[in-house]
Amino acid sequence: MPLGLNAGSVLDIQQNPMVLIDREYRIMAANRAYQDAYGVHADEVVGKCCHEISHHSPVPCHRRGEDCPHQAVFNTGEAHEVRHIHYDHQNHAEHVRIRGHAIKDQEGNTYLGEEIIRLPHQEEEITCGELRMVGRSPAFMRCLHHIEMAGRTDASILLFGESGVGKELAASAVHQFSARANGPFITVDCASLPETLFESEILGHERGAFTGCLGRKRGLYEMAHGGTLFLDEVGELPLAMQAKFLRVLETGSFRRLGGAETLHADVRVVAATNRNLLEMTAQRAFREDLYYRLAAITIDLPPLRERREDIAGIAEVLLERIGKSWGGSWSLSKDAEIRLGAYDFPGNVRELRNMLQKAAALADGPIIQLRHLDSEVSRNAALPAAERSARSETSKTGQHPDNLDELLRRYQGNRRRVADALGISERTVYRWLQRAPAE
């Protein structure tokens, strides 16, 4: 190890857990903070591959579709920060933030200095009502990283996502990651807000502002002072309302309906839509100036079909919520879990929730079987085309399929689920991976 210095001692300067990794993914040193945090001695991890220790995976994380700091730092030489799931010394998965830096020794050799910022139990706190953000897929982790980084700023954020992906939950996560987390989180359903009530609901009104108005009312914008105002389905706002709202967002100043006093509120705005607002601006259906006021930072929320490996975990949380409401307890059979994971869910999490509610009502016991799911799932949720092809190829040749890497990414390196999809043993998948070169 031509480090030319006591690497462990140098790393001990860092207060956070940190390891030194070479180009071949081997851990070359671990600081005292790492050893204390993970309950290991340095000689238990030095010489082993980082993905084996942190991810319990025989292949590097980039081969499973994750944003890999090792790849980024060695390819660009620049620092890189990502959000990952690592396993602690008790074999529990935990969310961590990884900061990777290029470090050179006295002979000019480059290593990855990987600083680990532990976020224990934080994923349990990312909630909205009774729901919480759940997932381990690469698509989910990238999205959550972007949400966390954007949440640290005070810029306006525009969330894009299909109907049912959980945009309010994502907006709540932005709020909880921000310095405004102790302030209010106020939601405005733009699709159901009548134009005639816009000023009264958003800006409030004074007594006598209109017929039948008997008292003063604070508007939703004023109520969000010191916190976050979430504009759900902002693309549904009529143009006249957009013009009124733009000035409020630009200045933070407003008057209640029927009032003469100019008021001010300190509000961070998060908006969400399932429509293409840029196309709407070209069609003059959405104000361009309002779009750019809202879209200081844009974040895409992935649909369920792009994070299939998260479906079982989301289903577990939804069934837990259903059980609390209905006074029961349900879980998925293996066949039901596999079929749900293969279904495209055009309605995303909302469709999954409705499907599970129906299945729980029909189930004659605590286990939801395949027959309890919607007929569309039972009919159409055969193995995805890539898996059908891979299974056929494997049965003919006995060799691993060409799209093994694709299947590993889909199932986040879970050998058992890849084996189930291919109709083979987990040991066979492990043997293939041991023979495969680390890219």
Side-chain angles (χ1 to χ4, degrees):
M1 182 174 69
L3 297 176
L5 42 81
N6 189 330
S9 298
V10 173
L11 297 184
D12 283 338
I13 298 172
Q14 294 289 334
Q15 293 183 343
N16 287 319
M18 190 169 186
V19 291
L20 201 66
I21 303 171
D22 71 6
R23 288 184 180 273
E24 305 303 320
Y25 304 95
R26 290 190 300 263
I27 297 174
M28 309 302 287
N31 70 355
R32 175 56 58 187
Y34 180 94
Q35 298 173 58
D36 292 343
Y38 290 99
V40 297
H41 294 292
D43 56 11
E44 295 179 68
V45 296
V46 168
K48 296 182 179 179
C49 290
C50 56
H51 49 83
E52 294 175 344
I53 300 297
S54 299
H55 297 286
H56 293 182
S57 170
V59 297
C61 57
H62 71 88
R63 287 189 59 189
R64 295 159 51 224
E66 294 189 55
D67 185 358
C68 179
H70 185 282
Q71 283 271 294
V73 169
F74 277 108
N75 286 344
T76 68
E78 299 179 357
H80 193 69
E81 184 169 333
V82 300
R83 190 183 183 102
H84 272 191
I85 286 181
H86 280 191
Y87 287 89
D88 64 16
H89 65 288
Q90 295 179 324
N91 206 32
H92 294 154
E94 63 175 7
H95 282 228
V96 296
R97 196 161 62 247
I98 303 297
R99 290 177 181 165
H101 310 269
I103 295 178
K104 292 184 180 293
D105 65 11
Q106 294 175 342
E107 297 181 12
N109 299 304
T110 300
Y111 299 88
L112 166 66
E114 186 173 277
E115 182 184 3
I116 304 168
I117 303 171
R118 304 181 76 192
L119 307 170
H121 311 302
Q122 189 173 42
E123 69 276 13
E124 298 294 328
E125 300 170 4
I126 305 171
T127 60
C128 182
E130 296 180 359
L131 291 178
R132 66 178 185 267
M133 297 193 79
V134 176
R136 299 183 181 181
S137 67
F140 174 81
M141 297 302 290
R142 281 193 295 271
C143 179
L144 188 57
H145 176 67
H146 294 159
I147 287 173
E148 182 178 5
M149 296 299 102
R152 294 177 179 180
T153 75
D154 212 31
S156 298
I157 295 174
L158 183 59
L159 304 172
F160 289 103
E162 297 177 4
S163 178
V165 296
K167 292 188 281 292
E168 185 172 2
L169 186 55
S172 179
V174 170
H175 174 71
Q176 292 174 55
F177 280 128
S178 75
R180 299 172 176 266
N182 293 326
F185 177 76
I186 304 296
T187 297
V188 179
D189 184 359
C190 298
S192 64
L193 187 64
E195 186 170 353
T196 54
L197 296 180
F198 171 77
E199 288 189 78
S200 174
E201 290 296 314
I202 300 296
L203 305 181
H205 60 247
E206 298 289 349
R207 181 175 182 175
F210 49 85
T211 303
C213 178
L214 301 179
R216 170 186 290 178
K217 176 184 176 181
R218 296 172 66 218
L220 296 176
Y221 187 83
E222 186 177 355
M223 291 169 62
H225 176 67
T228 302
L229 183 70
F230 173 49
L231 305 174
D232 196 12
E233 300 304 345
V234 69
E236 304 301 325
L237 274 179
L239 281 170
M241 295 165 64
Q242 293 176 29
K244 292 177 181 178
F245 201 37
L246 176 62
R247 179 167 178 78
V248 176
L249 295 182
E250 287 181 335
T251 65
S253 300
F254 62 96
R255 292 179 183 174
R256 298 193 189 106
L257 186 63
E261 182 184 3
T262 298
L263 305 173
H264 180 82
D266 174 22
V267 176
R268 197 263 188 86
V269 175
V270 177
T273 183
N274 61 3
R275 305 179 67 179
N276 189 325
L277 296 189
L278 277 178
E279 285 186 2
M280 292 178 65
T281 62
Q283 298 164 1
R284 299 187 181 278
F286 197 86
R287 291 182 64 104
E288 186 177 20
D289 46 7
L290 178 58
Y291 171 80
Y292 286 111
R293 178 64 182 80
L294 296 172
I297 298 175
T298 60
I299 299 176
D300 291 314
L301 306 180
L304 271 188
R305 64 181 175 275
E306 293 180 6
R307 42 181 299 218
R308 295 179 186 275
E309 55 267 51
D310 293 337
I311 291 175
I314 297 171
E316 181 180 351
V317 171
L318 292 173
L319 287 173
E320 179 183 326
R321 183 187 182 193
I322 293 169
K324 288 180 179 179
S325 299
W326 294 5
S329 177
W330 292 272
S331 61
L332 294 170
S333 69
K334 182 62 180 177
D335 285 346
E337 180 182 321
I338 290 175
R339 288 298 181 92
L340 285 177
Y343 181 61
D344 278 346
F345 284 102
N348 293 292
V349 177
R350 185 179 295 119
E351 182 182 6
L352 174 59
R353 180 197 61 202
N354 293 345
M355 190 180 296
L356 292 174
Q357 286 178 332
K358 179 180 177 181
L362 296 175
D364 46 11
I367 306 299
I368 293 176
Q369 305 290 346
L370 184 58
R371 67 179 181 274
H372 300 136
L373 299 177
D374 285 355
S375 57
E376 185 176 358
V377 176
S378 301
R379 279 197 314 269
N380 299 331
L383 290 172
E387 296 181 18
R388 291 199 301 271
S389 173
R391 178 172 283 199
S392 174
E393 179 183 345
T394 301
S395 64
K396 290 178 181 178
T397 67
Q399 303 297 318
H400 73 73
D402 292 338
N403 61 348
L404 178 60
D405 284 353
E406 178 186 342
L407 294 177
L408 287 167
R409 285 192 295 271
R410 169 170 292 176
Y411 293 112
Q412 203 188 0
N414 188 310
R415 297 193 299 267
R416 180 184 61 78
R417 297 192 68 188
V418 171
D420 288 343
L422 294 175
I424 57 176
S425 70
E426 183 179 350
R427 178 65 185 170
T428 299
V429 176
Y430 181 79
R431 188 168 61 250
W432 288 341
L433 294 174
Q434 290 294 98
R435 290 202 301 262
E439 296 175 4

